[in-house]
Amino acid sequence: MLEGKKIVLGICGSIAAYKAAALIRLLVKAGADVQVVMTPDATNFITPLTLATLSKKPVYVDYFTADTGEWNNHVELGLWADALIIAPASANTIAKMATGLCDNLLMAVYLSARCPVYFAPAMDLDMWKHSATQQNINKLQSFGNILIPPGSGELASGLYGEGRMAEPQEIIDFLLAKLKKKLPLADKSVLVTAGPTYEAIDPVRFIGNHSSGKMGFAIADKFAAMGANVTLIAGPTAQVSKYQNIKRIDVTSAAQMLQQCLLYFKAADACVMCAAVADYTPANVATQKIKKQQGDINIELKKTTDILKTLGEQKTNGQILVGFALETNNEEAHAIEKLKNKNLDLIVLNSLNDSGAGFKTDTNKVTIIDRDLKKTAFTLKSKTEVASDICLKVTELINK
């Protein structure tokens, strides 16, 4: 959720300024573009060079850069930012923010900002509890500024209590929680399956397919980016999720995938079954490796449980169920039959006859068909873009 976000990080004169280094590292690691603005007093606690190295941008302290005379445009900075975070926010800076006092570059950026403003107080216990400070904080919140509450612990003075700045990871978690509430699928639960299944013949060999899991993982990532709580049930694959908050469950066989789907489906607002699940599995699995012998060998196969149909039978009102149809002939007819027979809300059709679509590619070409048989055909796109198209269709149904 922070990827690509433009963040101005304001740092004030406080011993807690040392935490800014770790905060910048976390923001950059999350994909944010960070511009640091320091008050002159903040440079006494941590050097601009340290923060410039971590943010990979020059740090602004004054209205003008002394050696070049270049103007650090506070208006442009205020308009550029997607968020302004002032951490640490000293009692002095909080008072200035509350009264509109503008005697340094950071306060000029604050007064120019049109984005959400977060502030993380850092001060001693008695300063924090003082009625003037509390009045200023209430005033800032009435302006729409967002307080990142301080923690309790040992303070620089040796006292113990409230006033210490929130830890960098706590600030990141706070930001993510706030951002997530604004996303279209906040508080929604989505179940996604991805990859192949491997059906054991013996301890060494299996029956499988060519699914890489790329499409399913792209869908799970997109749902997570839209704020959903995602559970991803993955067959054997080398794919890795971009989002750490995706709950990943690894399985091998169709039976294991069925078991996990039944466990998580009831709580899901939507379920997207992207996995390429085996239709047949060996009736008898050898306990020892089968040795090569003269002549042919026959392996008896039995049908696996149709996971998609099973979930379709259990689907309740309001749940969205999406299936995939990878076809080689009579594509549309087969997809529509699957849509109806398995009680789906959407079927995503793609054909192995389309160049660039199918297994192991980074692209796909799909047609999405809904319950009313309305078809939306898409051109060849990257699987990330296809995932966006699918997730937007699902979101429309969830929020209908």
Side-chain angles (χ1 to χ4, degrees), residues 65-382:
T65 302
D67 54 349
T68 64
E70 185 179 352
W71 178 36
N72 298 322
N73 192 325
H74 59 280
V75 176
E76 287 185 1
L77 281 170
L79 296 177
W80 173 82
D82 293 314
L84 169 59
I85 306 169
I86 301 179
S90 64
N92 184 47
T93 291
I94 288 172
K96 291 178 182 180
M97 293 168 68
T99 58
L101 184 60
C102 185
D103 64 349
N104 60 44
L105 178 61
L106 177 57
M107 287 301 96
V109 173
Y110 163 68
L111 291 174
S112 302
R114 296 183 183 177
C115 60
V117 176
Y118 299 82
F119 66 105
M123 62 196 75
D124 208 68
L125 174 63
D126 295 317
M127 297 172 70
W128 167 252
K129 287 191 170 183
H130 198 284
S131 57
T133 301
Q134 292 302 312
Q135 183 177 344
N136 287 335
I137 287 172
N138 291 336
K139 196 171 183 180
L140 288 184
Q141 290 178 296
S142 74
F143 294 162
N145 297 329
I146 303 165
L147 169 68
I148 302 175
S152 294
E154 187 176 355
L155 304 170
S157 65
L159 296 176
Y160 189 95
E162 280 186 291
R164 62 187 298 171
M165 187 180 103
E167 295 303 318
Q169 187 59 58
E170 292 173 340
I171 293 175
I172 295 294
D173 292 342
F174 186 93
L175 291 173
L176 293 176
K178 286 290 182 182
L179 289 171
K180 186 174 181 179
K181 287 182 180 179
K182 299 178 181 179
L183 294 174
L185 292 179
D187 300 324
K188 299 296 184 182
S189 295
V190 178
L191 176 64
V192 180
T193 64
T197 64
Y198 289 173
E199 308 303 317
I201 297 171
D202 61 22
V204 177
R205 304 175 182 88
F206 62 86
I207 298 171
N209 57 63
H210 296 296
S211 176
S212 64
K214 288 180 180 179
M215 191 71 255
F217 273 70
I219 290 170
D221 283 339
K222 182 60 181 177
F223 275 129
M226 296 173 76
N229 300 313
V230 180
T231 299
L232 173 62
I233 302 174
T237 175
Q239 300 302 309
V240 178
S241 299
K242 286 173 60 179
Y243 293 85
Q244 293 182 350
N245 60 332
I246 292 176
K247 181 176 182 177
R248 175 173 173 172
I249 300 166
D250 290 305
V251 298
T252 301
S253 67
Q256 291 170 348
M257 186 165 284
L258 171 65
Q259 181 185 35
Q260 294 300 319
C261 284
L262 291 174
L263 189 61
Y264 289 97
F265 179 65
K266 288 181 181 179
D269 295 290
C271 177
V272 179
M273 299 291 292
C274 191
V277 183
D279 294 322
Y280 294 89
T281 189
N284 299 291
V285 179
T287 57
Q288 302 293 328
K289 179 183 175 182
I290 300 172
K291 296 296 184 181
K292 185 184 294 185
Q293 51 191 291
Q294 294 292 329
D296 298 328
I297 185 172
N298 294 316
I299 299 174
E300 183 184 355
L301 300 178
K302 63 180 181 180
K303 286 191 72 173
T304 58
T305 301
D306 189 326
I307 300 176
L308 193 55
K309 186 173 183 180
T310 300
L311 298 184
E313 292 169 348
Q314 296 186 7
K315 184 164 72 81
T316 59
N317 288 336
Q319 276 189 307
I320 308 302
L321 183 59
V322 181
F324 277 68
L326 176 61
E327 303 293 344
T328 57
N329 65 297
N330 297 326
E331 291 98 334
E332 191 173 303
H334 287 152
I336 291 173
E337 182 183 7
K338 189 173 185 179
L339 173 75
K340 293 178 178 179
N341 290 344
K342 301 189 180 183
N343 192 25
L344 308 182
D345 297 281
L346 297 172
I347 188 83
V348 181
L349 167 64
N350 61 323
S351 172
L352 283 179
N353 296 318
D354 290 327
S355 178
F359 292 132
K360 295 186 177 179
T361 65
D362 292 322
T363 56
N364 207 351
K365 182 180 179 182
V366 303
T367 297
I368 300 177
I369 307 172
D370 65 18
R371 294 180 74 93
D372 298 323
L373 304 187
K374 180 183 176 182
K375 293 175 287 185
T376 306
F378 298 91
T379 59
L380 185 70
K381 298 182 179 183
S382 71

